[in-house]
Amino acid sequence: MQREALSKGFVYTLLIIGGLLMILPFVWMISTSLKAPNEVMIMPPKWIPDIFHWDNYVTAWTMAPFARYTLNSLVVVIASTIGELITTILAAYAFSRINFYGRDIAFAVLLGTMMVPGEVLLIPNFVTLANLGWIDQYEALIIPWLASIFSIFLLRQFFLSIPKELSFAAKIDGCSDFRFLWSIMVPLAKPALITIALLKAIGSWNAFLWPLIVTSSENMRTLPVGLTSFSTDAGTMYELLMAASTMIILPMIILYIILQKYIIEGVARAGIKG
Amino acid sequence: MEVQMKDVTMQFNNITAVDRMNVTIEDGELVSMLGPSGCGKSTTLFMLAGLYKPTAGEIFFGDRLVNKIEPEHREIGMVFQNYALYPHLSVLKNIMFPLKMRKVSKGEAEELAREMAKLVQIDHLLDRKPGQLSGGQQQRVAIARALVKKPKILLLDEPLSNLDARLRLEMREEIRRIQQEVKITTIFVTHDQEEAMSISDKILLMKDGKFQQFCPPQEMYDHPENEFVASFLGSPPINLFPASLMDNLKDVSISGTNDVITLSSPLKEGMDPARQVTLGIRPEDFYIETDEKKQGILGKTIMVERIGRDNLLNVEVQNKTVRAIVSPDLRIERGDVVKLGILPERAHLFAVHTGENLLDSKLR
Ligand SMILES: Nc1ncnc2c1ncn2[C@@H]1O[C@H](COP(=O)(O)OP(=O)(O)OP(=O)(O)O)[C@@H](O)[C@H]1O
Ligand SMILES: [Mg+2]
């Protein structure tokens, strides 16, 4: 009994330490975002500023065209998330339910491409897009991200765990392939799909390198790229950068809190069926 | 509707799951498909449903050739071994689903679904999801869903295998009741012989993809076509003795003993005589022979067990245990040497190599 309590105490301590370590950068970010410029770099570090400079947020927002950046980010996130869901659902269905020639080899090749580091693809992708004339346009920000092998793999595994008799039953009931996918498989896969969508939305919202490379005009910048406005030749305005970062992160945290029960369900379920 | 299979064969890569099946099932019959695991029962059902396309052969529903007809146009209802209910839909929606696919108006579909739910006695569960039902209730939903579009043929793939013994008994009566109420040709897969014996009009017995025998249960039990059929049916199983047929083609001598049994049924015509045979006697076809002069099989009793009204004897003959179910009127103790007589016309004789039944015992 006592040993159990002890080991439980140990586990909780470990988890609390882990949690604190995870949250530390966020606390520091918010703290910095409220400081005066001269407080940012002083030693020893100051966790709570003397005066809370809420005006940093206003200054940061007005210093660069953040409204435009937000619009761009939203367009990119929504389009690429919806696009990825569509391609993922169709591909996962084909790879799990339709018998076509060379299916398993095709899938193995797709999985193989996951081994290629993303950085290697930056230049070939850039060249391709340049030839298509899409550089500095929404196409460049969205189209290369419309499919994810990882998501296809995840959803395919989920689809495979649904017994084939369910599709047999649907076929006897007079349900077409597409109808079956849409009105039976998709609702069943909701937790997996929400997980996929959320991971995608967060990734896309935070994406920095690719938007930086393929956009050049102010009008096409997304929020993370917009943050570079606070770094100038004269140095970086950390308090403003942190204020902007806080504003950018907020929507993702809210989205996560709203949807987290589905994510946990999705991961837990994947664990059981594994 | 009548169902006819002509030389139906299903080949998966190099496995022949079903081998030249020839069977005609009459309109309104309940047929049990029986056989050991992997013998091709489900595959046969999937072919009838149109979910698998046979490699060869023809399937007729009535006089319509259905080989090329898609499942939804075959007018079948099917219940799968794992029920295959749509987990995210309520019971009512599950039953309405086939009607929705047929574009039946919502009001009418709901009315029909409720009617069907009443028939299978689940009308108080309509708002639940399948996950909130017991196995037996899920199965009834599956049956209702299969029946709601008024199919001409009902296919059931081991629908009772997940249920406990009592529920199983109850459900099979239920299936029989529903089947007779709607008078629908039904094919019922099971590997429980007792289940097959109790509810079906006819049994279709298979082994390794090959058809063995197709006839009413009692006839199959009394007149098995071959050794496999004889030993598959019956519990405790039939006793088999290696034996040889004597020159007069009437007497059988049991190997390793001095016992000779005279057959009371004639051999089938055209059999070539003097061959090694297997004598098969069901436990309940033995009696204790007290007359010194009459024939029987001698052995030493190694166990006596009371089962209901009868006694089950384990008798050792040639180091093998023979089971006999006999009347307890004659007191028999462990260790007694007994002579087991055979009821007239109850002996079965099988060829050793082919397993074929050699006796012409059919009452025609
Ligand atoms: N899709 C398939 N691909 C390859 N082989 C298959 C396939 N389906 C069935 N088989 C094989 O065909 C044979 C018959 O299988 P089937 O499922 O019809 O048996 P069954 O009589 O229903 O057995 P059980 O009582 O265990 O359900 C088996 O040897 C099985 O391995
Ligand atoms: Mg089966």
Side-chain angles (χ1 to χ4, degrees):
Chain A
M1 203 55 216
Q2 214 167 6
R3 279 187 60 169
E4 204 171 287
L6 212 68
S7 74
K8 218 173 194 173
F10 180 72
V11 168
Y12 275 104
T13 314
L14 219 64
L15 287 175
I16 287 167
I17 292 173
L20 284 178
L21 281 176
M22 298 297 269
I23 213 168
L24 209 65
F26 289 94
V27 176
W28 185 248
M29 174 179 79
I30 292 168
S31 153
T32 306
S33 75
L34 295 172
K35 286 175 187 170
N38 59 1
E39 281 176 316
V40 173
M41 285 300 189
I42 56 169
M43 277 296 170
K46 209 185 222 174
W47 280 94
I48 300 167
D50 294 336
I51 305 166
F52 284 12
H53 285 275
W54 295 105
D55 54 307
N56 282 347
Y57 283 79
V58 182
T59 317
W61 184 260
T62 45
M63 223 176 111
F66 270 97
R68 178 70 200 195
Y69 298 163
T70 309
L71 174 75
N72 290 344
S73 274
L74 280 176
V75 168
V76 170
V77 164
I78 291 171
S80 57
T81 304
I82 291 176
E84 179 177 309
L85 283 178
I86 293 172
T87 57
T88 301
I89 290 170
L90 294 177
Y93 185 74
F95 281 122
S96 64
R97 274 294 169 357
I98 299 174
N99 270 317
F100 57 88
Y101 183 76
R103 177 182 78 172
D104 296 339
I105 293 172
F107 190 67
V109 169
L110 276 188
L111 280 187
T113 63
M114 277 173 75
M115 310 283 262
V116 180
E119 288 77 2
V120 172
L121 300 174
L122 282 180
I123 296 181
N125 278 350
F126 183 87
V127 173
T128 310
L129 291 182
N131 285 334
L132 287 169
W134 286 351
I135 295 300
D136 207 24
Q137 302 192 20
Y138 281 132
E139 282 96 322
L141 290 170
I142 297 168
I143 290 175
W145 304 102
L146 284 183
S148 148
I149 310 292
F150 176 72
S151 307
I152 293 172
F153 175 72
L154 194 78
L155 194 62
R156 171 185 177 265
Q157 294 313 105
F158 189 90
F159 280 177
L160 283 179
S161 74
I162 297 175
K164 71 173 192 294
E165 279 83 1
L166 215 53
S167 64
F168 281 178
K171 227 172 238 167
I172 288 175
D173 288 344
C175 199
S176 65
D177 266 329
F178 187 75
R179 186 75 196 255
F180 172 68
L181 174 61
W182 186 246
S183 53
I184 291 170
M185 295 286 250
V186 167
L188 285 179
K190 204 165 95 187
L193 289 172
I194 287 177
T195 308
I196 288 169
L198 197 53
L199 289 177
K200 177 64 169 197
I202 292 173
S204 169
W205 182 262
N206 291 338
F208 175 72
L209 194 55
W210 182 254
L212 181 71
I213 293 176
V214 296
T215 59
S216 47
S217 62
E218 192 85 311
N219 266 344
M220 292 312 296
R221 292 264 150 104
T222 58
L223 284 169
V225 178
L227 292 180
T228 54
S229 333
F230 301 107
S231 301
T232 61
D233 297 340
T236 301
M237 292 169 270
Y238 283 107
E239 69 290 353
L240 298 184
L241 180 59
M242 290 303 144
S245 298
T246 307
M247 288 188 280
I248 291 176
I249 278 178
L250 214 58
M252 282 301 119
I253 291 180
I254 292 171
L255 193 66
Y256 183 82
I257 289 171
I258 294 172
L259 295 178
Q260 75 160 342
K261 82 170 204 238
Y262 294 102
I263 289 206
I264 288 162
E265 193 181 332
V267 172
R269 193 190 283 235
I272 292 164
K273 300 222 167 158
Chain B
M1 173 147 6
E2 186 189 87
V3 176
Q4 191 177 11
M5 287 183 266
K6 277 190 182 165
D7 284 322
V8 171
T9 299
M10 183 76 210
Q11 195 111 22
F12 294 111
N13 304 321
N14 44 16
I15 305 166
T16 307
V18 176
D19 193 8
R20 282 164 296 159
M21 177 83 93
N22 277 296
V23 165
T24 303
I25 295 165
E26 275 158 39
D27 188 22
E29 264 181 347
L30 192 160
V31 169
S32 287
M33 210 187 285
L34 190 60
S37 190
C39 70
K41 305 183 294 290
S42 300
T43 307
T44 307
L45 222 54
F46 286 159
M47 284 191 289
L48 290 175
L51 297 166
Y52 289 168
K53 300 274 171 274
T55 330
E58 294 173 324
I59 299 174
F60 291 91
F61 287 179
D63 41 23
R64 185 165 70 135
L65 177 69
V66 295
N67 280 40
K68 295 232 166 64
I69 297 186
E70 289 298 318
E72 68 259 38
H73 298 127
R74 290 197 181 194
E75 300 184 272
I76 47 167
M78 184 153 179
V79 174
F80 294 86
Q81 185 160 357
N82 53 8
Y83 313 138
L85 299 175
Y86 307 120
H88 60 298
L89 298 179
S90 69
V91 167
L92 182 66
K93 291 249 170 69
N94 259 284
I95 303 177
M96 284 167 63
F97 192 82
L99 300 174
K100 195 171 144 197
M101 289 300 122
R102 297 179 151 207
K103 311 229 155 42
V104 175
S105 77
K106 201 157 179 227
E108 194 185 340
E110 189 167 332
E111 195 176 318
L112 286 170
R114 284 181 188 281
E115 219 170 84
M116 202 46 72
K118 197 165 263 161
L119 180 73
V120 297
Q121 300 166 359
I122 47 159
D123 41 334
H124 54 298
L125 303 171
L126 292 176
D127 295 327
R128 301 225 198 139
K129 294 270 170 72
Q132 303 163 317
L133 300 179
S134 74
Q137 291 166 337
Q138 290 187 28
Q139 192 212 0
R140 290 183 219 202
V141 178
I143 293 178
R145 186 183 62 183
L147 286 173
V148 75
K149 54 189 168 176
K150 304 259 181 312
K152 299 277 167 55
I153 297 163
L154 184 60
L155 306 171
L156 306 161
D157 193 355
E158 303 198 31
L160 308 182
S161 57
N162 297 333
L163 308 185
D164 68 47
R166 239 192 61 202
L167 197 53
R168 234 175 134 114
L169 218 69
E170 217 171 275
M171 285 311 303
R172 78 187 187 207
E173 299 307 321
E174 191 98 351
I175 289 177
R176 185 60 164 163
R177 174 180 70 78
I178 294 165
Q179 189 261 342
Q180 289 186 334
E181 208 164 310
V182 292
K183 293 200 177 46
I184 178 174
T185 309
T186 302
I187 302 173
F188 178 101
V189 169
T190 172
H191 49 226
D192 178 343
Q193 49 142 322
E194 201 232 328
E195 201 161 276
M197 294 289 289
S198 65
I199 65 166
S200 28
D201 294 313
K202 281 186 186 160
I203 294 179
L204 170 57
L205 187 59
M206 293 175 69
K207 179 197 175 198
D208 298 338
K210 291 196 183 66
F211 159 88
Q212 302 289 314
Q213 191 167 354
F214 178 55
C215 63
Q218 199 56 45
E219 187 182 329
M220 188 175 287
Y221 189 80
D222 292 339
H223 307 291
E225 297 259 335
N226 59 42
E227 191 182 319
F228 173 78
V229 176
S231 51
F232 196 83
L233 293 183
S235 166
I238 192 168
N239 299 292
L240 297 169
F241 304 88
S244 45
L245 184 61
M246 298 177 54
D247 291 344
N248 64 4
L249 300 185
K250 277 192 134 351
D251 294 334
V252 176
S253 144
I254 296 173
S255 308
T257 71
N258 296 323
D259 302 327
V260 171
I261 305 293
T262 304
L263 298 170
S264 44
S265 327
L267 282 186
K268 273 184 198 155
E269 308 250 325
M271 279 295 139
D272 87 85
R275 51 206 302 185
Q276 290 306 111
V277 294
T278 304
L279 180 70
I281 319 281
R282 293 203 181 276
E284 67 273 23
D285 293 337
F286 282 124
Y287 64 94
I288 302 292
E289 181 60 81
T290 47
D291 187 339
E292 289 285 313
K293 281 173 273 169
K294 295 240 176 95
Q295 293 176 327
I297 301 171
L298 278 175
K300 193 171 131 197
T301 312
I302 50 178
M303 197 197 79
V304 181
E305 189 186 330
R306 184 83 188 216
I307 46 165
R309 265 182 295 132
D310 297 315
N311 272 351
L312 171 67
L313 305 186
N314 280 6
V315 177
E316 193 177 74
V317 177
Q318 281 296 299
N319 294 325
K320 280 206 324 214
T321 304
V322 172
R323 291 194 184 77
I325 295 174
V326 296
S327 145
D329 299 346
L330 213 70
R331 270 193 77 81
I332 300 204
E333 305 275 336
R334 219 180 121 204
D336 290 353
V337 171
V338 293
K339 182 150 76 172
L340 297 172
I342 298 159
L343 295 173
E345 309 213 334
R346 287 309 202 153
H348 304 284
L349 203 63
F350 306 105
V352 164
H353 293 300
T354 57
E356 189 184 354
N357 193 340
L358 298 171
L359 295 183
D360 189 9
S361 56
K362 288 229 165 141
L363 318 156
R364 293 206 179 102

PDB file of all heavy atoms in Angstrom, chain A residues 57 72 135 168 208:
ATOM      1  N   TYR A  57       1.560  44.901 -27.246  1.00  0.00           N
ATOM      2  CA  TYR A  57       0.712  44.129 -28.159  1.00  0.00           C
ATOM      3  C   TYR A  57       0.183  45.017 -29.280  1.00  0.00           C
ATOM      4  O   TYR A  57       0.175  44.624 -30.442  1.00  0.00           O
ATOM      5  CB  TYR A  57      -0.440  43.477 -27.384  1.00  0.00           C
ATOM      6  CG  TYR A  57       0.017  42.258 -26.605  1.00  0.00           C
ATOM      7  CD1 TYR A  57       0.689  42.385 -25.395  1.00  0.00           C
ATOM      8  CD2 TYR A  57      -0.194  40.987 -27.104  1.00  0.00           C
ATOM      9  CE1 TYR A  57       1.134  41.284 -24.694  1.00  0.00           C
ATOM     10  CE2 TYR A  57       0.231  39.866 -26.410  1.00  0.00           C
ATOM     11  CZ  TYR A  57       0.897  40.015 -25.206  1.00  0.00           C
ATOM     12  OH  TYR A  57       1.333  38.912 -24.537  1.00  0.00           O
ATOM     13  N   ASN A  72      -3.673  35.621 -44.822  1.00  0.00           N
ATOM     14  CA  ASN A  72      -2.907  34.638 -45.594  1.00  0.00           C
ATOM     15  C   ASN A  72      -2.788  33.321 -44.835  1.00  0.00           C
ATOM     16  O   ASN A  72      -2.993  32.242 -45.400  1.00  0.00           O
ATOM     17  CB  ASN A  72      -1.505  35.170 -45.891  1.00  0.00           C
ATOM     18  CG  ASN A  72      -1.542  36.306 -46.889  1.00  0.00           C
ATOM     19  OD1 ASN A  72      -2.555  36.496 -47.569  1.00  0.00           O
ATOM     20  ND2 ASN A  72      -0.474  37.075 -46.966  1.00  0.00           N
ATOM     21  N   ILE A 135       5.477  30.851 -57.834  1.00  0.00           N
ATOM     22  CA  ILE A 135       6.200  31.456 -56.720  1.00  0.00           C
ATOM     23  C   ILE A 135       5.521  32.762 -56.313  1.00  0.00           C
ATOM     24  O   ILE A 135       5.032  33.515 -57.157  1.00  0.00           O
ATOM     25  CB  ILE A 135       7.676  31.709 -57.135  1.00  0.00           C
ATOM     26  CG1 ILE A 135       8.378  30.383 -57.396  1.00  0.00           C
ATOM     27  CG2 ILE A 135       8.424  32.494 -56.061  1.00  0.00           C
ATOM     28  CD1 ILE A 135       8.413  29.446 -56.218  1.00  0.00           C
ATOM     29  N   PHE A 168     -19.098  -5.406 -46.751  1.00  0.00           N
ATOM     30  CA  PHE A 168     -19.949  -6.417 -47.385  1.00  0.00           C
ATOM     31  C   PHE A 168     -21.421  -6.117 -47.089  1.00  0.00           C
ATOM     32  O   PHE A 168     -22.267  -6.147 -47.980  1.00  0.00           O
ATOM     33  CB  PHE A 168     -19.602  -7.813 -46.856  1.00  0.00           C
ATOM     34  CG  PHE A 168     -18.374  -8.419 -47.471  1.00  0.00           C
ATOM     35  CD1 PHE A 168     -17.922  -9.667 -47.064  1.00  0.00           C
ATOM     36  CD2 PHE A 168     -17.671  -7.753 -48.468  1.00  0.00           C
ATOM     37  CE1 PHE A 168     -16.791 -10.233 -47.624  1.00  0.00           C
ATOM     38  CE2 PHE A 168     -16.543  -8.317 -49.031  1.00  0.00           C
ATOM     39  CZ  PHE A 168     -16.107  -9.557 -48.603  1.00  0.00           C
ATOM     40  N   PHE A 208       7.316  27.910 -41.204  1.00  0.00           N
ATOM     41  CA  PHE A 208       8.121  29.111 -41.364  1.00  0.00           C
ATOM     42  C   PHE A 208       9.010  29.057 -42.612  1.00  0.00           C
ATOM     43  O   PHE A 208       8.946  29.923 -43.478  1.00  0.00           O
ATOM     44  CB  PHE A 208       8.981  29.304 -40.116  1.00  0.00           C
ATOM     45  CG  PHE A 208       9.941  30.441 -40.217  1.00  0.00           C
ATOM     46  CD1 PHE A 208       9.484  31.756 -40.179  1.00  0.00           C
ATOM     47  CD2 PHE A 208      11.296  30.213 -40.370  1.00  0.00           C
ATOM     48  CE1 PHE A 208      10.369  32.821 -40.287  1.00  0.00           C
ATOM     49  CE2 PHE A 208      12.187  31.271 -40.492  1.00  0.00           C
ATOM     50  CZ  PHE A 208      11.725  32.579 -40.445  1.00  0.00           C
TER      51      PHE A 208
END
